[in-house]
Structures are given as C-alpha cells and as structure tokens.
C-alpha cells in the first residue's frame, strides 16, 4: 500500500471521545502516566525543540507543517509547505491567524529548522 492509496484526512469525521469514554478505556490512566513521563524526559533532553509542541497552537502548526512537508515529498502534486497552505491546514482549528502562521514560519526559519526554497516555499 502506498501513500496515494489513502484518502485525505477528513476533520469532520474524526472520532471524538468524552472524558467518560476515555476513563472507561482499560489502562487509560496507565498509558496517560507513561506518556507524561516520556514527554517530561524529552523536555529535559531537548528543551529548545520541545518549545514547538509545548502549547496547542504550536503543536497544531508543527504537525500541520510536517504533514504538508512530507505529503509533498511523497507526492509532489500535493501542496508544498507555504504560509498560505499551512494556514489552510490549521484554519479549521481557529487557533492561528495568517499572521501567526507567518510569524511561526519565520521563527522556525531563524532557528534553522527550515530553509526557504524560494520566496514562497519552505523546504
């Protein structure tokens, strides 16, 4: 199976869970504790990088940027990582404006995590 065999993710049909649903899952609390410990360990090892997933806004933008970048790498017909495309990717969440997305990309560029391919595209 290849990437092309998968349909694009539909945010409107994603499963949702209530607190009661999650609490009813076997080993949920044990899994949550394990994840917390792993995240704390990563934070101690890489505090600079953790900044980009430390709050919901950055977490969503980071994952949106990664999704755009790798989707385009796998299939060049898909949109590349640009400020406009990243905003379209995260717009449904309501957590970031176009200016926030642009500032985020400029910040991660200044830290050396991305490079500009041309005036509009990031690689």
């Amino acid at each position: 199976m290849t990437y092309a065999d998968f349909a694009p993710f539909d945010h409107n049909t994603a499963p949702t869970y209530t607190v009661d649903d999650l609490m009813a899952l076997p080993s949920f609390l044990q899994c949550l504790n394990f994840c917390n410990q792993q995240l704390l360990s990563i934070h101690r090892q890489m505090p600079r990088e953790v900044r980009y997933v430390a709050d919901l806004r950055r977490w969503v933008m980071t994952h949106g940027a990664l999704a755009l970048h790798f989707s385009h790498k796998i299939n060049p017909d898909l949109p590349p990582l640009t400020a406009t495309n990243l905003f379209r990717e995260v717009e449904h969440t309501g957590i970031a404006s176009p200016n926030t997305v642009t500032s985020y990309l400029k910040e991660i560029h200044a830290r050396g995590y991305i490079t500009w391919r041309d005036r509009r595209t990031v690689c």
Side-chain angles (χ1 to χ4, degrees):
M1 198 170 260
T2 67
Y3 179 80
D5 295 327
F6 293 97
F9 183 74
D10 182 0
H11 300 283
N12 297 317
T13 61
T16 57
Y17 299 92
T18 66
V19 171
D20 292 334
D21 292 338
L22 293 173
M23 294 301 293
L25 294 172
S27 303
F28 173 74
L29 291 177
Q30 181 181 2
C31 178
L32 186 61
N33 185 48
F34 172 79
C35 291
N36 288 340
Q37 294 304 315
Q38 294 300 307
L39 287 171
L40 288 171
S41 174
I42 291 167
H43 190 291
R44 285 189 291 273
Q45 294 171 23
M46 303 178 347
R48 182 176 159 198
E49 290 82 358
V50 169
R51 170 177 166 74
Y52 296 101
V53 292
D55 64 61
L56 183 60
R57 178 179 292 164
R58 290 176 181 277
W59 188 90
V60 168
M61 287 190 295
T62 297
H63 284 79
L66 288 169
L68 282 168
H69 173 74
F70 287 111
S71 294
H72 181 70
K73 277 254 196 233
I74 292 168
N75 181 354
D77 293 334
L78 294 174
L81 175 57
T82 64
T84 300
N85 291 336
L86 180 55
F87 179 70
R88 283 188 195 127
E89 186 74 16
V90 302
E91 182 177 21
H92 73 280
T93 66
I95 60 151
S97 69
N99 289 340
T100 302
V101 169
T102 300
S103 294
Y104 168 78
L105 290 174
K106 286 179 180 177
E107 180 183 341
I108 63 175
H109 173 261
R111 294 202 183 256
Y113 293 121
I114 61 174
T115 58
W116 304 122
R117 184 181 324 158
D118 59 42
R119 295 186 75 209
R120 297 179 316 115
T121 309
V122 179
C123 69

